[in-house]
């Protein structure tokens, strides 16, 4: 394309916001809850239906679709020079249980919208353009999170991922992925792809952009994610005749530990610590709890700081466990180190937003994303749009359509610039 035409393209080309909305609304009908949310966990029947739509849409957009051993779906739109490293975008189509209509979904479907826009304007980038739907980013049913991207970049193994049990402990991930027909043959390995750079558009999932009345967020990276499992043993007994003194109540020990997690996170600062999941056994109102399993999630920009916090928590847990007569077992379940994005791509997000006249903010992502993994093996950056009330991982998660469109336009512009830049 001549320079003049190219400059015209950059100045004038925009995604079709109405079409993006329509596509997101189709997705919002698959696994819909009564409260406007979604339950569409990875490797479930709802996930299969959504994946079938995605496969149909990318084929209609002229892409070649590859499904790897983890069910990651890569739609490739060939560039003019296939020897150049590809430019990748995408996110995830699975949700929390329950979750909202935008987390992950916006990034995949805005990538599709960019592809449709390029198609109808007959624009072929120099580089291959890969649109990806990563498998099980949420980890809400089969933990951990970022499973597909984590195997792809080598943080976890495929075998370990296949063996993960669902939250009820009834089935394993690999079997379910196969059952829904999305366990592909292609090796799940970034080295099988020649990716030069990647962008992920996502809702912010926090209150900053809305609070500052800004339109686009440009994170410099993502906090680390450290996940732990804790198992406590108590002694079950009839609640009525058993005196208060001398009980080994696992739930009571847990209650003290939950306070410790919150206290240490406050004391240390520059981090967050959360207990989000707990199973209490046998979970009966008239039996003293004989077992508790709970999780701890610790996040910080500084991995060492997060590890120090965990060690402090663990030390206090052990003291409580001893005092309450409840044996404790702790397990480091999963770790993703903090991610620092590529400075040039980060700047490109800001520059593209400025050029489009969108107000913006440089920030940090507290939420984990597939880009936490992807940016460790290729150059990566993200684009955020506001979350209403700063809320996500809830059914009422929402983002105004105009903001979705703005995010799509920034993504388009970043891809146009990066797709020609070699
Ligand atoms: C992913 O959704 C996370 O931040 O936990
Ligand atoms: Mn997400
Ligand atoms: Mn999420």
């Amino acid at each position: 394309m001549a320079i003049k035409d190219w400059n015209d393209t950059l100045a004038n080309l925009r995604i079709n916001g109405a079409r993006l909305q329509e596509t997101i609304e189709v997705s919002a009908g698959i696994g819909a809850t009564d409260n406007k949310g979604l339950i569409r966990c990875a490797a479930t029947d709802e996930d299969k239906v959504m994946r079938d739509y995605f496969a149909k849409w990318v084929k209609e957009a002229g892409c070649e679709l590859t499904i790897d051993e983890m069910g990651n779906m890569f739609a490739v739109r060939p560039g003019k020079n296939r020897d150049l490293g590809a430019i990748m975008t995408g996110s995830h189509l699975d949700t929390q249980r329950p979750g909202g209509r935008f987390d992950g979904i916006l990034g995949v479907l805005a990538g599709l919208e960019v592809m449709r826009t390029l198609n109808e304007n007959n624009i072929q980038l120099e580089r291959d353009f890969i649109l990806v739907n990563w498998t099980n980013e949420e980890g809400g049913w089969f933990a951990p999170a970022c499973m597909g991207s984590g195997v792809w970049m080598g943080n976890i193994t495929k075998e370990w991922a296949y063996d993960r049990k669902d939250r009820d402990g009834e089935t394993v991930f690999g079997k379910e992925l196969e059952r829904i027909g999305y366990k592909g043959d292609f090796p799940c390995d970034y080295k099988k792809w020649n990716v030069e750079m990647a962008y992920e558009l996502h809702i912010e999932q926090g209150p900053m952009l809305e609070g500052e009345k800004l339109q686009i967020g440009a994170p410099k990276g993502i906090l680390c994610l450290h996940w732990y499992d804790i198992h406590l043993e108590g002694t079950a007994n009839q609640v009525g005749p058993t005196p208060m003194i001398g009980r080994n109540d696992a739930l009571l020990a847990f209650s003290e530990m939950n306070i410790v997690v919150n206290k240490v996170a406050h004391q240390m600062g520059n981090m967050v610590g959360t207990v989000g999941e707990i199973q209490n056994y046998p979970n009966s109102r008239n039996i003293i709890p004989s077992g508790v399993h709970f999780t701890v999630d610790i996040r910080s920009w500084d991995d060492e700081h997060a590890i120090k916090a965990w060690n402090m928590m663990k030390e206090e847990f052990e003291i409580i466990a001893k005092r309450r007569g409840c044996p404790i077992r702790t397990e480091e379940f999963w770790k993703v180190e903090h991610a620092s994005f590529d400075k040039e791509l980060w700047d490109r997000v800001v520059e593209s937003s400025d050029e489009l006249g969108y107000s913006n903010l440089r920030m940090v992502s507290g939420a984990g994303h597939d880009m936490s993994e992807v940016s460790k093996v290729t150059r990566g950056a993200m684009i955020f749009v506001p979350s209403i009330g700063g809320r996500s991982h809830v059914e009422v998660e929402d983002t105004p359509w105009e903001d979705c469109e703005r995010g799509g336009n920034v993504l388009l512009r970043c891809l146009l610039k990066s797709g020609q830049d070699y």
Side-chain angles (χ1 to χ4, degrees):
M1 198 184 291
I3 294 286
K4 182 179 171 304
D5 296 345
W6 178 245
N7 285 340
D8 277 355
T9 299
L10 263 190
N12 300 317
L13 197 66
R14 300 287 184 274
I15 63 153
N16 181 336
R19 184 170 54 194
L20 173 61
Q21 177 178 343
E22 257 170 51
T23 314
I24 292 176
E25 279 170 348
V26 173
S27 154
I30 303 167
T33 66
D34 290 342
N35 304 312
K36 283 177 85 180
L38 282 176
I39 295 183
R40 195 165 72 212
C41 294
T44 61
D45 293 346
E46 293 76 21
D47 185 31
K48 178 195 162 30
V49 175
M50 185 65 236
R51 285 166 176 272
D52 289 349
Y53 269 97
F54 179 69
K56 176 172 162 287
W57 288 335
V58 294
K59 283 180 193 159
E60 282 167 2
C63 295
E64 201 180 291
L65 179 64
T66 299
I67 298 164
D68 76 11
E69 299 158 304
M70 281 297 291
N72 295 318
M73 302 170 78
F74 302 89
V76 180
R77 183 178 191 270
K80 285 187 208 152
N81 185 347
R82 305 215 65 188
D83 292 333
L84 291 174
I87 179 161
M88 181 185 253
T89 194
S91 191
H92 58 96
L93 292 169
D94 69 309
T95 74
Q96 286 286 331
R97 193 172 179 259
R101 295 162 294 155
F102 295 91
D103 177 354
I105 295 156
L106 173 65
V108 180
L109 300 184
L112 175 65
E113 175 51 39
V114 167
M115 224 171 231
R116 289 171 170 169
T117 303
L118 295 180
N119 282 351
E120 66 197 7
N121 288 279
N122 295 315
I123 296 172
Q124 188 181 21
L125 301 177
E126 290 293 326
R127 303 176 182 282
D128 278 11
F129 170 10
I130 304 175
L131 173 61
V132 56
N133 168 34
W134 296 110
T135 294
N136 195 21
E137 190 274 350
E138 295 291 1
W141 183 233
F142 292 97
C146 301
M147 243 195 209
S149 50
V151 172
W152 188 76
M153 65 72 78
N155 189 29
I156 54 174
T157 67
K158 174 184 73 183
E159 291 73 21
W160 185 77
Y162 284 164
D163 280 349
R164 292 310 92 204
K165 289 201 176 111
D166 66 58
R167 217 147 77 182
D168 288 346
E170 280 174 6
T171 177
V172 292
F173 174 76
K175 258 198 192 152
E176 291 305 289
L177 186 64
E178 192 162 10
R179 183 185 66 76
I180 65 162
Y182 277 91
K183 195 193 233 179
D185 293 329
F186 195 82
C188 181
D189 183 352
Y190 78 94
K191 293 188 237 48
K192 298 286 175 196
W193 298 88
N194 179 16
V195 178
E196 172 62 28
M197 59 187 120
Y199 291 95
E200 182 175 355
L201 167 64
H202 207 282
I203 53 169
E204 180 200 347
Q205 309 187 268
M208 302 256 295
L209 293 176
E210 190 186 61
E212 308 260 330
K213 297 196 171 25
L214 295 171
Q215 294 164 326
I216 296 290
K220 72 167 180 177
I222 308 176
L223 304 187
C224 70
L225 283 90
H226 296 183
W227 284 10
Y228 302 92
D229 276 297
I230 298 93
H231 302 268
L232 289 169
E233 246 178 73
T235 309
N237 212 341
Q238 228 290 13
V239 297
T242 311
M244 293 305 288
I245 307 288
R247 292 182 174 200
N248 310 125
D249 182 333
L251 188 60
L252 191 57
F254 157 73
S255 308
E256 286 191 51
M257 293 177 194
N258 194 9
I259 305 278
V260 167
V261 171
N262 195 269
K263 183 191 73 182
V264 171
H266 272 291
Q267 275 172 358
M268 296 279 289
N270 294 323
M271 59 164 295
V272 288
T274 311
V275 174
E277 188 182 334
I278 162 177
Q279 278 98 29
N280 174 48
Y281 304 100
N283 210 27
S284 161
R285 67 177 78 204
N286 50 1
I287 303 177
I288 295 170
S290 60
V292 164
H293 159 244
F294 69 99
T295 61
V296 173
D297 172 311
I298 301 177
R299 302 181 188 209
S300 170
W301 184 255
D302 179 346
D303 280 76
E304 288 308 314
H305 190 63
I307 291 169
K308 198 162 155 205
W310 167 246
N311 287 334
M312 283 168 69
M313 289 173 193
K314 201 166 110 180
E315 220 169 88
E316 290 206 42
F317 288 175
E318 276 157 11
I319 294 167
I320 296 164
K322 197 154 175 216
R323 178 164 40 78
R324 296 253 166 228
C326 296
I328 184 170
R329 182 167 60 82
T330 58
E331 198 185 318
E332 180 187 314
F333 178 66
W334 178 65
K335 249 192 194 140
V336 178
E337 289 178 0
H338 91 275
S340 266
F341 294 158
D342 182 271
K343 176 72 167 68
E344 206 178 307
L345 300 195
W346 182 32
D347 285 345
R348 188 161 281 172
V349 172
V350 172
E351 174 195 287
S352 298
S353 309
D354 285 340
E355 288 162 0
L356 286 159
Y358 302 157
S359 56
N360 53 74
L361 179 71
R362 291 188 189 257
M363 59 193 299
V364 171
S365 174
H369 299 287
D370 291 305
M371 195 54 79
S372 302
E373 301 283 33
V374 172
S375 65
K376 301 208 175 103
V377 291
T378 188
R379 302 165 61 201
M382 291 189 78
I383 303 158
F384 282 173
V385 290
S387 293
I388 295 179
R391 299 196 63 197
S392 84
H393 282 189
V394 289
E395 290 164 286
V396 297
E397 167 186 290
D398 206 357
T399 291
W401 293 115
E402 307 76 54
D403 284 317
C404 294
E405 182 173 349
R406 278 190 273 268
N409 280 327
V410 176
L411 180 66
L412 169 67
R413 199 169 180 91
C414 288
L415 293 185
L416 280 173
K417 289 183 171 198
S418 302
Q420 298 301 116
D421 168 12
Y422 52 93

